[in-house]
Amino acid sequence: MNLGMDDGMDEAKLPATLEAMGAPAGKVIKALTRPTYGYVYVPEGDAEGFESLNGKAHNDKPLKLERHRPRGQREERRPRHEALQDLPGQARLWVGLGRQEGLDEAGVTAALEAAGAPAGKVLRTDLRPTYAYVFVAEEDVEGFESTHGKPHGEGKTLKVERAKRK
């Protein structure tokens, strides 16, 4: 499901939220949360009651709930987004802002600068649905990393860190 810690959920709040939205009460066996999604384990006979929440809005976000499917039964995934290549002298930063917040490349830059990042220093942006990669000169990294933990919008905390290599 597409509710997670970034939506204010934890293992206790997730089942309570679903029940408040109309899911069968007391049927969650176990709940796990991750930053952008969560899992709820329910008896097979009650799964339809949870799936009936598909599309219902939680804080203006339409819910998406699916049953677990073993690997051989999963749909074919669409190809991964082709990432922008790193260039010498530039650092790639992972930023926890994306299209989901209604931002475009300029909006991500504006949000970082509003949080105190050096103005006019974003060289390139690779915008994704839930996050963005922002490329800056190596000497400007510290100024961008200093925005990590600062507030963005209502109830959201800015997350900025050097992107990890795969």
Side-chain angles (χ1 to χ4, degrees), residues 57-89:
H58 176 268
N59 293 340
D60 298 323
K61 180 179 183 177
L63 288 184
K64 181 179 178 187
L65 292 96
E66 300 177 346
R67 289 182 196 226
H68 171 74
R69 294 180 310 268
R71 288 200 185 270
Q73 298 173 2
R74 294 183 189 171
E75 296 174 16
E76 193 64 34
R77 289 186 178 181
R78 66 179 189 271
R80 286 191 175 254
H81 179 83
E82 193 62 37
L84 292 177
Q85 296 299 313
D86 292 354
L87 297 174

Side-chain angles (χ1 to χ4, degrees), residues 114-129:
K121 298 293 186 170
V122 172
L123 303 172
R124 301 179 292 152
T125 304
D126 187 359
L127 187 64
R128 307 292 178 92

